[in-house]
Amino acid sequence: MYLRPSFSHERQLTIDELIKRVHSYYPEANTDLIRQTYDFAAKAHVGQKRSSGEDYIIHPLNVAATMIKLHADVPSIMAALLHDVVEDCGITPEEIEKTFSAEVARLVIGLTKISKIQFKTQEESQAENFRKMVVAMAQDLRVIIIKLADRMHNMRTLQYVSDERQKKIAQETLDIYVPLASRLGINSVKAELEDLCLRFLRPDVYYRLAEKVAMKKSEREKYISEVVSIIQERLQEYSVKAEVKGRPKHFYSIYKKMMSRGVDFEQIQDVLAFRIIVRNITECYKVLGIMHSSFTPVPGRFKDYIAIPKANNYQSLHTTVIGPLASRIEIQIRTAEMDEVAETGVAAHWKYKEGLVGKGNQMAWVQELLEANKSVSSNREFMDVVKNDLDIGGIFIFTPRGDVYELAHGATPLDFAYCVHT
Ligand code: MN
């Protein structure tokens, strides 16, 4: 469903480049403050190295870059740059407050606390971890988003740590950070984290998929541009102005599909997804009509997330059709605003004077969990509340044939595969 992400660990990233990017979406931002924060962090981390051998500061810079991609406010970018200085450099929160602001210090304290959570695989401790994460999140959603950006860069550079550590971090990411990114609707981060998890947890599957997709690259690109121009032509006939793009779906979603249908890559037909971005909702349905009259729709594959948005506010129309050359393609139709929310989720709602203002659903969700945190006594009960909401357990899976499987807490697509096949 989501498109293939790009693992872009930026080695040559500089603070000048970051500041340029901030100016592009937030011209009034006080970028002097960002530069001062960078100087402070670079000085604090001086002499420290990453496992990759690079200077440590490349890490906070990349975390800040992800925040900037999500169009973060200045305090979040500053906190991203400073997120490891308390833990790794012995800088005190008081010093951060004195040098910068109480707000930035609070964000860094939140991040330092989360990094001290010892994640364990036992169910009971996972519940405790989630409790702490939710409390941190309820105080300020920005803390969790910076934490996601931190984890993303660690995952992008995971090849430099030991095999054992790779597996542990990747599993923890899949168990804890992916569901959080999903619940907050930050699909760009979720899709990338999932692909990285697959790469380190199931390298055999990951590299086979990568190879297969790469092998057909030129053929695929030709096909994509052909389909894009056919769609554009059809839309022009009805005077609909739209942006149309196509890309392969991300590997993890192809992998999930292979598992759920019990099939091999060759049998997975719809690995390409096309996205049509229009100006308003009426046009979304109009375009759907045009697509269904131009291509044969595949029965049972149409979903209207505009009329019925997902719990994380995701909105879009999805359909699968038989495209040119008789191959199945998925088409997503939405407005530009829906597209922004789909990629960045709760992070689409920055108000630059008030930080991040969670919209309706998301804040209500955090509040509910917080209430649950107060009212239930055991971790087990709390987890029951959480699992009703996050995709982390008590999973119901609908097969393409309409059969329903219930899997236990923490089950993986692999468990599902075993449940369908012996
Ligand atoms: Mn970090």
Side-chain angles (χ1 to χ4, degrees):
M1 177 167 64
Y2 306 119
L3 305 182
R4 197 158 55 89
S6 56
F7 305 144
S8 53
H9 165 57
E10 299 182 76
R11 291 170 184 284
Q12 306 302 329
L13 203 57
T14 62
I15 189 64
D16 292 323
E17 172 57 27
L18 282 193
I19 284 173
K20 213 168 78 194
R21 293 181 197 174
V22 175
H23 272 307
S24 73
Y25 69 87
Y26 184 14
E28 317 86 74
N30 183 348
T31 49
D32 288 345
L33 216 45
I34 296 176
R35 193 180 294 277
Q36 280 164 34
T37 311
Y38 168 76
D39 291 339
F40 183 96
K43 203 173 142 213
H45 287 296
V46 80
Q48 295 175 355
K49 299 278 182 198
R50 294 275 291 168
S51 307
S52 62
E54 292 163 292
D55 286 338
Y56 197 89
I57 193 67
I58 196 74
H59 169 62
L61 266 177
N62 270 275
V63 176
T66 297
M67 294 307 290
I68 289 166
K69 216 169 170 185
L70 295 172
H71 292 184
D73 61 3
V74 172
S76 304
I77 298 165
M78 292 167 70
L81 289 168
L82 295 169
H83 79 274
D84 279 330
V85 301
V86 172
E87 206 181 345
D88 296 345
C89 315
I91 304 277
T92 63
E94 292 72 34
E95 203 173 337
I96 294 173
E97 177 166 353
K98 217 175 68 209
T99 316
F100 302 105
S101 68
E103 184 184 11
V104 173
R106 260 201 319 276
L107 292 171
V108 176
I109 292 169
L111 286 155
T112 308
K113 276 189 190 150
I114 293 178
S115 75
K116 293 216 173 91
I117 301 177
Q118 285 295 319
F119 291 108
K120 288 185 184 131
T121 44
Q122 292 88 352
E123 191 178 311
E124 199 72 357
S125 1
Q126 200 189 5
E128 186 59 35
N129 296 334
F130 255 101
R131 256 181 135 137
K132 289 178 190 159
M133 295 283 264
V134 165
V135 171
M137 179 158 57
Q139 280 157 1
D140 199 322
L141 273 175
R142 293 178 293 182
V143 171
I144 293 294
I145 298 175
I146 300 167
K147 190 63 205 167
L148 284 170
D150 177 35
R151 178 51 60 112
M152 181 127 106
H153 186 246
N154 288 335
M155 286 296 295
R156 280 174 179 171
T157 53
L158 203 60
Q159 68 268 36
Y160 300 108
V161 306
S162 70
D163 279 14
E164 192 195 337
R165 218 173 139 62
Q166 284 177 5
K167 294 269 187 285
K168 182 181 170 278
I169 302 266
Q171 191 61 52
E172 184 183 288
T173 302
L174 199 58
D175 291 344
I176 293 165
Y177 292 92
V178 166
L180 274 174
S182 170
R183 192 55 186 76
L184 295 174
I186 312 174
N187 288 330
S188 54
V189 169
K190 178 192 174 234
E192 179 165 345
L193 285 180
E194 280 182 334
D195 271 10
L196 284 162
C197 288
L198 189 65
R199 175 172 154 194
F200 291 102
L201 290 173
R202 294 296 311 270
D204 53 331
V205 175
Y206 179 86
Y207 288 106
R208 254 190 68 222
L209 283 176
E211 204 178 301
K212 302 239 173 181
V213 170
M215 245 160 46
K216 299 178 183 159
K217 193 166 182 246
S218 61
E219 195 187 315
R220 191 183 67 228
E221 276 165 4
K222 191 165 150 262
Y223 182 77
I224 287 175
S225 68
E226 234 176 78
V227 174
V228 166
S229 58
I230 293 173
I231 292 177
Q232 284 286 18
E233 262 167 47
R234 294 293 291 153
L235 296 180
Q236 260 156 30
E237 284 170 35
Y238 293 89
S239 356
V240 177
K241 259 210 167 98
E243 189 194 334
V244 183
K245 44 193 178 182
R247 272 204 292 184
K249 294 180 192 180
H250 80 288
F251 292 166
Y252 195 80
S253 66
I254 299 174
Y255 168 68
K256 268 200 299 202
K257 201 159 276 178
M258 285 165 54
M259 289 296 125
S260 68
R261 296 190 192 158
V263 297
D264 199 45
F265 182 83
E266 277 77 16
Q267 292 161 278
I268 293 282
Q269 296 178 346
D270 41 346
V271 296
L272 296 181
F274 290 82
R275 193 172 286 168
I276 304 176
I277 315 261
V278 292
R279 288 167 299 190
N280 55 53
I281 292 180
T282 315
E283 279 186 345
C284 291
Y285 290 101
K286 186 172 172 187
V287 168
L288 178 74
I290 298 168
M291 289 302 106
H292 279 184
S293 58
S294 308
F295 307 106
T296 309
V298 177
R301 295 298 303 273
F302 168 62
K303 293 191 193 82
D304 187 346
Y305 295 118
I306 291 181
I308 306 163
K310 289 194 188 181
N312 63 15
N313 288 340
Y314 176 86
Q315 286 190 293
S316 191
L317 299 176
H318 289 189
T319 186
T320 301
V321 300
I322 312 291
L325 303 176
S327 65
R328 285 176 174 215
I329 53 174
E330 182 175 308
I331 300 179
Q332 307 171 341
I333 306 162
R334 56 209 194 204
T335 66
E337 199 199 337
M338 288 172 192
D339 192 49
E340 198 194 337
V341 172
E343 291 291 320
T344 63
V346 67
H349 310 293
W350 297 97
K351 296 262 185 305
Y352 293 115
K353 288 204 179 74
E354 303 143 64
L356 188 60
V357 183
K359 211 180 176 182
N361 266 340
Q362 266 119 2
M363 277 323 280
W365 168 66
V366 174
Q367 285 311 321
E368 261 167 46
L369 288 184
L370 203 63
E371 283 306 311
N373 186 41
K374 276 189 218 143
S375 61
V376 302
S377 50
S378 75
N379 282 332
R380 192 58 130 90
E381 272 177 77
F382 177 70
M383 216 48 202
D384 285 341
V385 178
V386 174
K387 88 178 182 193
N388 277 333
D389 213 89
L390 283 170
D391 335 314
I392 54 163
I395 312 161
F396 290 95
I397 298 173
F398 295 83
T399 70
R401 270 184 251 125
D403 300 324
V404 182
Y405 287 86
E406 188 183 359
L407 293 183
H409 229 180
T412 64
L414 206 61
D415 295 318
F416 176 69
Y418 280 116
C419 153
V420 188
H421 294 275
T422 45

